[in-house]
Amino acid sequence: MSGATIGVAVVGYGYWGPNLVRNFADTPGAKLVAVCDLRKERLAPLATRYPGVKLTDDFDEILRDPEIQAIAIATPVHAHFRLAMSALMAGKHVFVEKPIASSAEEAQRLVDEAARRKLTLAVDHTFIHTGAVKKMRELVETRLGDMYYYDSVRVNLGLFQHDVSVIWDLAVHDLSIMDHVLPFQPVAVSATGVSHVPGEPENIAYLNLFFENSLIAHIHVNWLAPVKVRRTLIGGSQSMIVYDDLEPSEKIKVYDKGITLNGNPQKNGEKIYQALVGYRTGDMWAPRLDVTEALGTELKEFIGCIETGTNPQADGRAGLRVVRILEAATQSLALRGRPVELEPVRRVA
Amino acid sequence: MSGATIGVAVVGYGYWGPNLVRNFADTPGAKLVAVCDLRKERLAPLATRYPGVKLTDDFDEILRDPEIQAIAIATPVHAHFRLAMSALMAGKHVFVEKPIASSAEEAQRLVDEAARRKLTLAVDHTFIHTGAVKKMRELVETRLGDMYYYDSVRVNLGLFQHDVSVIWDLAVHDLSIMDHVLPFQPVAVSATGVSHVPGEPENIAYLNLFFENSLIAHIHVNWLAPVKVRRTLIGGSQSMIVYDDLEPSEKIKVYDKGITLNGNPQKNGEKIYQALVGYRTGDMWAPRLDVTEALGTELKEFIGCIETGTNPQADGRAGLRVVRILEAATQSLALRGRPVELEPVRRVA
Amino acid sequence: MSGATIGVAVVGYGYWGPNLVRNFADTPGAKLVAVCDLRKERLAPLATRYPGVKLTDDFDEILRDPEIQAIAIATPVHAHFRLAMSALMAGKHVFVEKPIASSAEEAQRLVDEAARRKLTLAVDHTFIHTGAVKKMRELVETRLGDMYYYDSVRVNLGLFQHDVSVIWDLAVHDLSIMDHVLPFQPVAVSATGVSHVPGEPENIAYLNLFFENSLIAHIHVNWLAPVKVRRTLIGGSQSMIVYDDLEPSEKIKVYDKGITLNGNPQKNGEKIYQALVGYRTGDMWAPRLDVTEALGTELKEFIGCIETGTNPQADGRAGLRVVRILEAATQSLALRGRPVELEPVRRVA
Amino acid sequence: MSGATIGVAVVGYGYWGPNLVRNFADTPGAKLVAVCDLRKERLAPLATRYPGVKLTDDFDEILRDPEIQAIAIATPVHAHFRLAMSALMAGKHVFVEKPIASSAEEAQRLVDEAARRKLTLAVDHTFIHTGAVKKMRELVETRLGDMYYYDSVRVNLGLFQHDVSVIWDLAVHDLSIMDHVLPFQPVAVSATGVSHVPGEPENIAYLNLFFENSLIAHIHVNWLAPVKVRRTLIGGSQSMIVYDDLEPSEKIKVYDKGITLNGNPQKNGEKIYQALVGYRTGDMWAPRLDVTEALGTELKEFIGCIETGTNPQADGRAGLRVVRILEAATQSLALRGRPVELEPVRRVA
């Protein structure tokens, strides 16, 4: 950590903002300078808790403040682009709640602007900093072999959103995890879903993600389920993972199970399956996971990236990749599941 | 039970045939007359167990036998149509393993032939005779309110099939259950999936079923999962069901949970969701289920239908409806999930 | 609620004290006047949060303060008696952490002193104010029939205590719940256990509680278990309860299961069991539970009791009943499980 | 396997006998010669299935038959001693259902008689031949470190017995498993329990087993529980096991968890626990288990022991050790849990 500190402002003090405030206040190398929200009365309790911090409802004040080098944006999604773009144009590093923007075009413009100005642009894909997701990425690299499928279920009762469908609200988590864990990018997406509240966005949806190889991914999201489920299956040729985020401790289970292919047997009727496909069962193993709070790790990485000019793991392009899928899925939804191709995201801006 | 008994022959003595033999031997009103399999050596153990039963590898002998009024067919799927059609044409009542035939056209011809000859044609949708599925049908009629969704997961490791995809092998169960439980027929289907064994049929697949109203159904089937799952969620406006077939006793759980819609509130920003959608939570309830063996119940119903000329619950049309979906899903699979319309099955042949 | 408010001091600001402070600050009818801890530096953060509250390390100051009518004690157990007795003698109402004292004699003296001075004496048996335990009490009264058994398992890894055994640390919860839920008092207790840390108190123990009728109770507590379990089975002649406190929502399950006794059949060998005992299986039902925070409810009750002169549900005698069992269990432990009789606690002091 | 085969008779064809018949018929080196039951009509179905096998209700005929070298006894417990002793005196090797006899004295006499005549005496502790229990024994030897505790819960609804208490019916399983898995023998036992059916034996019971070191064992058995539980926790200084026999595949889970003792810290108040005891958490691991049918393995071992004159793992002394505990537990039950000392079983007869 260098001696200098990065001055930070948090913009948007609703559901998630307080977590950013609390964590930035504890992040080495960062100094919480200001908190901004249009509903200024919300900020009152911060006065006694964080006496030196500026509290304002004026975003321009934040932009003009030379003590602030980085801005974290935790407003409703529709405001992300405008605020983030203004911040970049004012020369600030930016950390944006997920999804990074309301459209791929917006996300692309943020990526380009940050690249042009050599500013750090990060998106808050919090889950990728959890011990469970970090372990999955490691396992995919080292133990799973060829990737076969990625299947996630994220359902519960509530909280219905009014401005975005369940895809933008829940599947965004799965897409950001997948983006981090899988070594491949999808080439097309299809989605189906319905709304059970007249005039409102879809509250249940199913996404298929297609890849160039025989990997398939699928996401089931639902705001109207009687039980809460957070479960992902990842199948590989060597082993398979069950990730259950509701398990208090063994969130990741690795199964040394699978099939073995026995060459090219003669096709002689009923015996063929046993001849061709064999089944392998072995131990199950639940590795110990890092239990450091994900958001703290993430903000520390963000500050470190600003200091060193390196790229955060969830950079603007990661945010763009996820939004591109959300946008295409939304198109497919309107076409009752017809696949929509995904343009690749350029690796270098 | 009338004094007369129905003479029955079982054709195909592989995986399922022995269950039919054992159950027909115990079914009141039925008399097991013959068992037929091309691999006659398989039938040897039956000689001591069922001394009076004819054991043969000659299907024509079965067709000609005047003592036989009904034929149960438990051969590989590709032979269903030929054998069932011959049986009907010989004036026999027919009970066929699911799926009833390899194509909707074949299934339709069987339905028509049975209707023309006023013979009983039943398909072995065993699950609909379990206590759990009977209870679900009752709950859908009496407690769920408007139907919102039907979501089923049926995954495990093995048993890979060579001649049919995982859809024909596993999803057929879900489709037959859905056909029985839901009061609506789907109007279109889409399916995605991949094969991980070169040259072999898909071993993982996802089906979407579309209805004329806002009901949506989805089925996830997978032969290559590290864990076994048999779980169905059914959402209705009044209550919701979780059906877990692996639970030893509480297979059906009913949740008095859901949303309430609060009229047509003014749209004034963030408060809108709470204004529009409320959440209802109540008791959970696991009704006691009938534990009579399903297959026994089913065969008793088949014999009863022959005696009285009534229609079995899973009649030829039920078999046709399921095959029509399997066929359309297979088409959609080749189109990477493009929806395929389903022609309605005529209620009266 | 009367217009006047009860001035409250919290003594002991370690693990539990902050919860008392936070809840008393929100309790209608109460006014948080002071917080006391010997380690005064611990109190510093309260200055900004609760500006008007007196922060002190001098307990005598609390006793002398005429603005304080009630004192809540959340210190280590060995100090409960001295502080509570001083408070009562100073004319203050008292709320004490569980267990109420280190010995039955101490507890008895507190009960007597409070009765003599007509002061409210409450013990913090928090669990009895949870929705789950309230529901169990109701079910025991209305649905279980004759009580057969009460069996509780409360095990996890950590937190080893140095001054008290696992019985005083964990079983105290079960004993306070049992005291509230069951309509009977135990007449004897036995306990076995061992310590696996040389020189330290027992970290695993088993308690048996004997009643005058055929009810039996058993408690298993363990600081050294690989998994966390919080599960109680309650058996009655009409129905049975499983209470799993780790379940996020369905904590209480009621089973309409049991045995039926078929009179006095002739004893004729093997058939006897079926003749004598029949098995009854019915629905399972998980009632919706009140989710109000228990501690808030409890403090509201405490303040209400002071105002009206009524008795809290967990009064000094409840605290005494529990301590009496803890003490007898500790004696039994030293005798390798020999039962120790329990003197009844007088209902009226 | 030598060329010669051992002629076997099964005596008692009730609940368990058919399993013995079926398995002996398939055991290499064994020849099923006769089956005996007083209710001769029960044996009728065996005539067609096993044509050459003698079916009789005359035990003396079995004793006299020179073709029979070994007798397996699967009658009610009260007949074990008389039949087994007669068999040994007739020079037959003996395999007895568990518990080996109704009292320790009877068991001792069987052990002595078998030793005197150099005959193989085995007791059917089936569980010790399961993959799960074999793995536990291996883990206790190699991974658990010092033994801390053994805790088992075996509860369900039914099947009430008339002639023996739940201890002799259910705890016998746990005691035989413990006898196999633990390297130590208990020195005393205490037991508590009650009967809820007037005049009948206890249907719920708790056993404590005391050892010379700080190992403690506990068994909870109950015929009147609303849920079925088969769960054993084994704690060691290095790792801990959870054995859940109802899990379809991962029956054994090994937790690399525990405490670490940090020398002999100064006792300076509250910090002491953290100073003394540290917590260790690591991976969890579910080893793949041998899935060979236990009874088949066991009978093969029995035949092998006869052929080679070696000792079966569950020999008469193992049977005696278990019966000695059952007997002492029954005494303790009558004394409301007062511990009863266990005389050591001589290792050599």
Side-chain angles (χ1 to χ4, degrees), chain C residues 39 42 147-153 155 157-163 187-188 190 192-200 204 206 208 210 213-218 220 222-229 231 233-236 240-242 255 257-259 261 267 269-270 272-274 276-277 279-281 335-341, chain D residues 14 39 42 147-151 153 155 157-163 187-188 190 192-200 204 206 208 210 213-218 220 222-229 231 233-236 240-242 255 257-259 261 267 269-270 272-274 276-277 279-281 335-341:
Chain C
R39 301 150 303 183
R42 294 214 168 182
M147 291 305 302
Y148 283 171
Y149 61 83
Y150 184 102
D151 176 276
S152 186
V153 178
V155 307
L157 181 60
L159 184 69
F160 278 64
Q161 305 285 312
H162 169 62
D163 51 350
V187 295
S190 71
T192 52
V194 291
S195 166
H196 296 106
V197 183
E200 293 295 309
I204 176 169
Y206 299 95
N208 289 283
F210 304 93
N213 49 25
S214 71
L215 171 60
I216 190 170
H218 187 270
H220 170 201
N222 187 347
W223 285 329
L224 191 51
V227 287
K228 186 173 184 177
V229 182
R231 195 151 96 142
L233 308 182
I234 308 183
M240 302 199 260
I241 294 173
V242 176
Y255 292 83
K257 279 188 175 177
I259 53 169
L261 301 185
K267 306 213 167 190
E270 174 182 354
I272 188 70
Y273 329 129
Q274 293 138 28
L276 185 65
V277 175
Y279 304 97
R280 202 167 33 75
T281 62
L335 302 168
R336 224 174 47 178
R338 186 173 296 211
V340 172
E341 306 297 319
Chain D
R39 301 150 304 182
R42 293 213 169 185
M147 292 305 303
Y148 282 171
Y149 61 84
Y150 184 103
D151 177 276
V153 178
V155 308
L157 181 59
L159 183 70
F160 278 64
Q161 304 287 312
H162 168 61
D163 51 353
V187 295
S190 71
T192 53
V194 293
S195 165
H196 295 106
V197 183
E200 292 296 310
I204 175 170
Y206 299 95
N208 290 283
F210 303 94
N213 49 23
S214 71
L215 171 60
I216 191 169
H218 187 269
H220 170 201
N222 187 346
W223 284 329
L224 192 50
V227 286
K228 185 174 184 178
V229 182
R231 195 153 96 142
L233 307 182
I234 309 183
M240 301 199 261
I241 294 172
V242 175
Y255 293 82
K257 277 188 175 178
I259 52 169
L261 302 185
K267 305 214 166 187
E270 174 181 353
I272 189 69
Y273 329 130
Q274 294 138 28
L276 186 64
V277 176
Y279 303 98
R280 202 166 33 76
T281 62
L335 302 168
R336 225 175 46 180
R338 186 173 297 211
V340 172
E341 306 298 319

Side-chain angles (χ1 to χ4, degrees), chain A residues 193-262:
Chain A
V194 293
S195 166
H196 296 106
V197 183
E200 293 295 310
E202 288 81 1
N203 50 268
I204 176 171
Y206 299 94
L207 274 72
N208 290 284
L209 293 145
F210 304 93
F211 293 79
E212 275 176 354
N213 49 24
S214 71
L215 171 61
I216 190 169
H218 186 270
I219 298 169
H220 169 202
V221 283
N222 187 348
W223 285 328
L224 192 51
V227 286
K228 185 173 185 178
V229 182
R230 296 283 182 269
R231 196 151 96 141
T232 302
L233 307 182
I234 309 183
S237 59
Q238 298 305 316
S239 55
M240 302 199 260
I241 292 172
V242 175
Y243 161 40
D244 187 338
D245 201 39
L246 301 184
E247 281 281 329
S249 44
E250 283 91 35
K251 288 180 191 295
I252 299 287
K253 294 194 177 119
V254 187
Y255 293 83
D256 285 331
K257 278 188 176 179
I259 52 168
T260 51
L261 301 184
N262 306 321

